[in-house]
Structures are given as C-alpha cells and as structure tokens.
C-alpha cells in the first residue's frame, strides 16, 4: 500500500474545497484526536445503526468501487481516517457475503503525490485486458490535487487506476497515472466504468461540471472520448456527479431500456440539499439519449445521495447503495467518534407507467432472512391505532391504507419526540421538526415538511425500515422512496396511526432485525 506522505498529511489538511459528491461544505469543531472516552462510546452511541453499514470510526461519505468477486461484495468508500469531518480522502474498504453483514478491512487506497483519492468505481478484469493479471480487481478513481486547486488551476482533477491481485487486500497504483488528463474542466470526476459485452470494450461515464462525458477503452489505460450527455435544466441543478449507466428489462415485458443515474449538489433535490435523479433512454454504445422532459428522482427524502450500483453481480442483479446523509449538515450531525452511514442495499426495477418509465427501488430480499416477527401491543380507539414495541428502533414495519387521504402516522418515544408521516391531497409528506435533536444545524429542518406528489390513490402501501437514527420509507412497492435521518432522544416505542372515518388499516406487520442472525450470516 502507498502511505500518505508527511507533507500531504500535515501540509494540505486545512485546504477547503467546493466540490459536492466529494465535498466538505463546512467544518465543525471536532478534534482530529478521539479520546478514550469517545472510543468507549463508539459502539454504544445511541445513534449508531443496528443494521446499516457505518465505519468503525471517523468520517465517511460516497460509496465507491462497488463490485462482486468470488462470493463477496466489496464496498469501498470515501474515508478520512483522522477526523469525523471531511479531509484528505482515502478509499475505505468493507466486504460482505450477504450485503447486510459487513466486515471493515484496512484502508485500500491512500493519497499520494498526485492527490487525494476521490470517488470512482471498480471492475473485475476477467480477460486481463489491462495486463495486470487475469481476474484482477481494478479501481478507477479521481485524483484531486489540492495544490493545483489552491493555485486556482482548472486541471486539478484527473483519473487514475490501481489494481489488486488478492481480492482487494493490497493495491498497486498504475505507474502511468493519470490515465485521463483534465482538459480544463474544474469539476471533472467520479468515473463509473463497466464492461460493454456487445462491444467487448470498457466504457466510462465521467461527471464534467454540468454534463456527463462518455469514454471507451480496450485496456483501461488508454481512453477515447465518445460523446457528451446533458439536459436542459432551468434552473440548473448544480454540479453533476457520481454517474452510473446500465441496462434493465422493463418488468413484465421483453423490452430493455438504459438508465443513467446522476447526483447533484447545491439545493437541487426536491426537498432541499443534495439529491440523485435518473434518466431512462437509449444507449447505442456511443451516445445516451432520452425522451424525458422533466427530472425523475431516485429518492425524495433528504438523505440518500451519491448512490451507485455494483459491477459483476450474480444473475445480473442491479443493486445500489447510497450515502445516507446530505452535504447541508453532514459534518455536524450529533454522532461521536464516527460519522455517516450507507443506505440499505436496494435492488432496482424498471416499471412502465401511464406517464412513462419509473425506476422502482426496494431493499434487497436478503433482509427477510435476518428478520423475524415480534409481538406487538396494539391499542385502538375511535380513529387512532397505537402499536407499542420496544423493538421499534430496530424494525421493519409494513401496512396498507385503504382510502388513505388524510391519514397521518408517527414514530413516538418517551421523550416526547415525534417523526410524522402522512398522505393528503395527492402528496405524501414527512416532518422531523420535533423528531429529537434538530438544532445541530439550521438546515436540518429548514425544508420540513418534505413532500412528494404521488397522485390520487385508493390504496397506499407503506414499508418502513427503522434504525436508530434513520427511517427509509418505500411506498407502493418502491414506486417512491424517502430516506430521512432522525436523532430521537430515546428509542422509538410507539407507532401511532390517525385515520379518518373512511380509512382502513390492513396487514400491519412488524419484524425485528435479528442481530444474532446477522452475526451468523
């Protein structure tokens, strides 16, 4: 492994950047040194997730290099191992056999003389096209040169590669880096590479300020630019980042379409802050085109960003993981010794609707194997149903609402905190204004309530994945998703559903995520 030089570690740490997917929008007062007391609280932090991946300690943001090899899923991630706020980026590393139980490994990629290691992807070179070895795991990433940025150059981001011949345990950086120089675009990053079986070539998407550039290579070293893709946004949505491109079969048909995913910084998302949208269209091996005339969003909550999908998955499954945070407040969330978690892995499905194509997202089916039904104490009076369970902060809750207009439901605890959700006037909404700790950053609640227009429905199916400091919401089998961080002062204990005279609540189920089963997987 290549170690961070003393000059890089000490001399460049204080530089501030304006990037987004690989960005630090603000610093906080956290020390780079974790005290013994803080170490003791790492595993006992009331906000540390039960069943979402989070690093053992320090800072994490974007998922990187998602790839499958020899029975294991590899999750690399943007990581700063010396602080709980953003700093010189490394690639952290974790592996899993089931996408749910993760084992954190030593850091994979360290900064070097070419810069910090920003976001990117990983592939398995089965045919040894690069000459590093058959089945080499190859990482493709952005080099971010802080000295070049400080000198106000527009060419401080370039693309590099590294390879591993032992399933990601040790890495060698290519001596010919960078493999793609910067043509003079300030935001030029986040390469997503995939093998195009039809063309028998590697293809790359690269985020370039306000558009996506598509490249092609036979050996992962020499790249040729093919085309650009942009979209006539008015107003503009901020810098384009963390792209992905893949083909999906439309559910229930023989039709196939290509899907492009792009994340955006600034205040681009429907409910404020950073967000991720997608385009459905055609890709001829050279250009991507779409007939869409408006944005479609992967998640309508504020806390699912920079999501990308795994390469080389068994049976061609298309599985995405996102960073469960938002640049508006990511560096100030009230956790101790660690910061940030990933979303649960979600499988993507393409569905045709009256309005076009919808990219449905659902948590992977494997979650059912590590969950079990639990007893719940249910109380009913007039138009109120209260479901009591001490396992609510470690649960999967599902129910159906018939005639849902006007229904409101909430998570409640003994501290009087409340996280509210509901459906009214064609809109589903959430509100975390009174959900617990909210004053750590004014932007945490400045767009509450959050809303998504889902139309006039006779029946609404709701599925909630509730962890200590997050709620992932899926509506009508993943037609819509909303992901929100919450920081309740005590664990959730009561799910309260308030209905109107015409509303019926059916098929209420609560399952506990069994941590012992997770440990055994």
């Amino acid at each position: 492994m290549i170690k961070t030089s003393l000059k890089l570690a000490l001399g460049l740490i204080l530089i501030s950047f304006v990037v987004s997917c690989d960005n630090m929008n603000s610093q906080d007062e956290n020390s780079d040194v974790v005290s013994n007391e803080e170490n003791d609280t790492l595993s006992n932090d009331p906000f540390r997730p039960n069943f979402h991946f989070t690093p053992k300690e320090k800072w994490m943001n974007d998922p990187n290099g998602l790839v499958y090899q020899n029975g294991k899923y590899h999750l690399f991630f943007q990581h700063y191992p010396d602080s709980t706020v953003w700093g010189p980026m490394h690639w952290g590393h974790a592996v899993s056999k089931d996408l749910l139980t993760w084992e954190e490994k030593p850091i994979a990629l360290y900064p070097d003389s070419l810069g910090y290691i920003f976001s990117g992807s990983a592939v398995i070179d089965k045919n040894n096209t690069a000459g590093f070895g058959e089945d080499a795991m190859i990482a493709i990433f952005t080099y971010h040169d802080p000295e070049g940025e400080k000198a106000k150059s527009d060419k401080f981001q370039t693309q590099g590669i590294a390879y591993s011949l032992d399933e990601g345990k040790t890495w060698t950086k290519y001596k010919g880096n960078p493999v793609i120089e910067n043509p003079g675009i300030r935001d030029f990053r986040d390469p997503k590479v995939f093998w195009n079986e039809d063309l028998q070539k590697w293809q790359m998407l690269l985020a370039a300020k306000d558009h996506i550039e598509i490249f092609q290579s036979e050996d992962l070293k020499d790249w040729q630019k093919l085309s650009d893709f942009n979209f006539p946004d008015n107003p503009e949505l901020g810098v384009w980042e963390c792209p992905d491109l893949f083909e999906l079969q439309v559910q229930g048909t023989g039709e196939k379409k290509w899907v492009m995913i792009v994340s955006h910084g600034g205040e681009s998302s429907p409910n404020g802050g950073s967000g991720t949208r997608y385009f459905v269209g055609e890709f001829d091996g050279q250009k991507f085109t779409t007939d869409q005339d408006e944005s479609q969003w992967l998640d309508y909550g504020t806390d699912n960003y920079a999501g990308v999908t795994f390469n080389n998955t068994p049976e061609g499954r298309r599985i995405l993981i996102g960073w469960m945070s938002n640049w508006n407040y990511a560096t100030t969330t009230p956790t101790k010794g660690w910061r940030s978690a990933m979303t649960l892995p979600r499988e993507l499905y393409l569905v045709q609707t009256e309005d076009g194509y919808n990219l449905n997202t659902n948590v992977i089916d494997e979650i059912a194997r590590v969950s079990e039904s639990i007893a719940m104490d249910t109380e009913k009076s007039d138009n109120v149903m209260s479901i009591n369970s001490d396992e609510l902060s470690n649960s999967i809750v599902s129910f159906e609402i018939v005639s849902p207009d006007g229904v409101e439901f909430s998570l409640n605890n003994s501290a009087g905190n409340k996280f509210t959700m509901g459906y009214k006037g064609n809109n589903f909404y959430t509100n975390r204004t009174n959900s617990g700790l909210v004053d750590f950053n004014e932007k945490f609640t400045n767009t509450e309530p959050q809303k998504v227009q889902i139309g006039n429905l006779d029946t609404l199916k709701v599925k909630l994945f509730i962890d200590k400091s997050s709620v992932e919401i899926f509506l009508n089998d993943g037609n819509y998703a909303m992901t929100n961080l919450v920081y309740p002062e005590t664990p959730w204990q009561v799910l309260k559903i308030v209905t109107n005279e015409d509303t019926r609540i059916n098929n209420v189920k609560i399952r506990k995520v069994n941590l012992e089963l997770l440990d055994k997987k």
Side-chain angles (χ1 to χ4, degrees):
M1 294 185 179
I2 301 175
K3 301 290 186 179
T4 309
S5 70
L6 182 61
K7 178 181 178 182
L8 189 62
L10 297 180
L12 303 179
I13 188 173
L14 298 179
I15 296 176
S16 174
F17 302 97
V18 183
V19 289
S20 173
C21 198
D22 297 303
N23 179 14
M24 175 182 68
N25 283 353
S26 61
Q27 290 277 5
D28 68 12
E29 68 276 9
N30 286 31
S31 168
D32 288 348
V33 178
V34 177
S35 67
N36 289 334
E37 181 180 350
E38 286 176 320
N39 274 323
D40 290 340
T41 65
L42 281 172
S43 60
N44 297 316
D45 189 315
F47 304 128
R48 191 174 183 86
N50 287 310
F51 53 91
H52 289 75
F53 175 76
T54 191
K56 180 181 178 181
E57 60 179 1
K58 308 303 176 138
W59 172 267
M60 177 182 75
N61 57 289
D62 304 0
N64 297 151
L66 304 184
V67 70
Y68 176 88
Q69 185 179 37
N70 296 335
K72 293 181 179 178
Y73 295 89
H74 293 261
L75 165 63
F76 299 93
F77 53 91
Q78 291 288 276
H79 184 45
Y80 182 38
D82 296 326
S83 178
T84 55
V85 295
W86 193 98
M89 285 290 99
H90 303 54
W91 269 28
H93 185 200
V95 299
S96 175
K97 294 180 179 179
D98 59 8
L99 288 165
L100 296 171
T101 311
W102 294 95
E103 179 184 359
E104 191 167 353
K105 297 291 187 178
I107 290 171
L109 298 175
Y110 288 78
D112 59 37
S113 61
L114 293 179
Y116 304 159
I117 311 297
F118 272 18
S119 288
S121 52
V123 297
I124 305 301
D125 190 8
K126 299 176 183 179
N127 301 320
N128 193 23
T129 63
F132 300 138
E134 187 176 343
D135 290 324
M137 183 183 293
I138 300 180
I140 308 96
F141 53 87
T142 295
Y143 269 120
H144 180 100
D145 175 18
E147 293 289 357
E149 183 188 35
K150 187 177 181 180
K152 300 188 183 306
S153 168
D154 285 337
K155 299 183 178 183
F156 59 87
Q157 291 185 342
T158 58
Q159 317 313 314
I161 62 175
Y163 64 93
S164 172
L165 301 178
D166 54 10
E167 300 185 22
K169 295 177 183 176
T170 59
W171 289 85
T172 302
K173 290 174 182 164
Y174 176 50
K175 293 181 180 179
N177 280 336
V179 295
I180 299 181
E181 296 280 1
N182 192 309
I185 301 173
R186 186 172 179 81
D187 300 294
F188 189 69
R189 54 179 176 268
D190 309 339
K192 178 60 191 282
V193 172
F194 65 96
W195 175 255
N196 190 317
E197 187 67 29
D198 293 336
L199 299 177
Q200 291 289 294
K201 292 182 179 180
W202 298 104
Q203 298 199 295
M204 174 194 291
L205 278 75
L206 196 60
K209 191 178 180 179
D210 59 357
H211 65 280
I212 299 300
E213 297 188 355
I214 299 176
F215 292 78
Q216 184 169 281
S217 174
E218 295 184 358
D219 61 5
L220 295 167
K221 300 172 183 175
D222 297 314
W223 291 91
Q224 172 192 5
K225 183 180 173 182
L226 300 177
S227 63
D228 294 334
F229 172 76
N230 54 25
F231 196 74
D233 294 313
N234 187 17
E236 294 184 358
L237 295 182
V239 174
W240 291 42
E241 303 182 296
C242 302
D244 203 345
L245 180 65
F246 46 85
E247 191 177 35
L248 286 178
Q249 184 167 323
V250 180
Q251 290 287 290
T253 76
E255 183 184 20
K256 292 184 177 181
K257 303 289 286 187
W258 284 82
V259 180
M260 181 183 288
I261 288 177
V262 180
S263 287
H264 296 275
E267 293 299 317
S268 59
S269 73
N271 284 295
S274 38
T276 302
R277 66 173 169 169
Y278 65 89
F279 303 94
V280 179
E282 306 295 339
F283 179 60
D284 63 4
Q286 298 274 329
K287 292 184 177 182
F288 175 82
T289 57
T290 181
D291 293 330
Q292 278 181 218
D293 56 11
E294 61 182 16
S295 293
Q296 292 181 258
W297 294 88
L298 192 70
D299 194 301
Y300 287 84
T302 56
D303 297 302
N304 182 3
Y305 187 60
V308 287
T309 66
F310 279 87
N311 280 329
N312 202 45
T313 51
E315 301 176 354
R317 298 172 70 189
R318 188 55 58 176
I319 299 171
L320 176 140
I321 292 179
W323 175 45
M324 198 160 59
S325 195
N326 191 307
W327 280 117
N328 271 345
Y329 42 76
T331 62
T332 59
T333 53
T335 59
K336 301 296 182 183
W338 64 278
R339 189 164 270 143
S340 294
M342 296 299 182
T343 67
L344 289 173
R346 304 179 183 187
E347 192 153 1
L348 306 182
Y349 305 90
L350 195 58
V351 177
Q352 189 163 17
T353 71
E354 294 178 357
D355 299 321
Y357 297 93
N358 195 77
L359 189 60
N360 285 21
T361 65
N362 282 299
V363 172
I364 55 171
D365 292 340
E366 285 87 340
I367 193 74
R369 302 177 195 166
V370 293
S371 62
E372 58 188 16
S373 296
I374 56 176
M376 54 184 177
D377 180 14
T378 303
E379 300 175 4
K380 296 181 180 179
S381 62
D382 296 330
N383 64 334
V384 178
M385 175 186 293
S386 293
I387 301 169
N388 301 273
S389 174
D390 290 335
E391 300 287 353
L392 205 53
S393 286
N394 179 35
S395 70
I396 304 168
V397 178
S398 61
F399 52 92
E400 294 181 359
I401 313 170
V402 179
S403 298
D405 194 45
V407 73
E408 185 169 280
F409 50 99
S410 60
L411 299 174
N412 301 266
N413 62 14
S414 60
N417 304 148
K418 176 188 289 189
F419 176 57
T420 304
M421 296 156 276
Y423 171 76
K424 186 175 183 179
N426 298 341
N427 288 300
F428 185 86
Y429 62 89
T430 66
N431 195 323
R432 59 186 177 188
T433 303
N434 299 310
S435 61
L437 302 183
V438 298
D439 59 358
F440 55 87
N441 191 305
E442 64 180 9
K443 291 186 177 181
F444 188 66
T445 55
N446 69 353
T447 59
E448 305 295 323
Q450 300 175 30
K451 297 179 181 179
V452 54
Q453 188 173 70
I454 62 175
N456 185 10
L457 302 176
D458 296 325
T459 302
L460 177 62
K461 297 170 68 175
V462 177
K463 196 165 191 177
L464 311 174
F465 292 82
I466 307 167
D467 211 336
K468 290 182 180 178
S469 54
S470 65
V471 183
E472 293 180 80
I473 306 166
F474 298 86
L475 306 175
N476 285 357
D477 300 316
N479 282 344
Y480 297 91
M482 296 185 76
T483 302
N484 285 124
L485 294 176
V486 288
Y487 299 97
E489 295 170 277
T490 61
W492 302 120
Q493 295 172 306
V494 179
L495 173 65
K496 182 178 292 186
I497 305 175
V498 181
T499 66
N500 56 43
E501 292 181 357
D502 300 324
T503 302
R504 295 197 315 275
I505 306 298
N506 297 330
N507 300 322
V508 179
K509 298 178 182 177
I510 297 184
R511 296 180 66 84
K512 168 187 175 181
V513 178
N514 189 320
L515 301 184
E516 291 185 1
L517 289 176
L518 279 171
D519 290 338
K520 293 176 182 178
K521 291 294 290 182

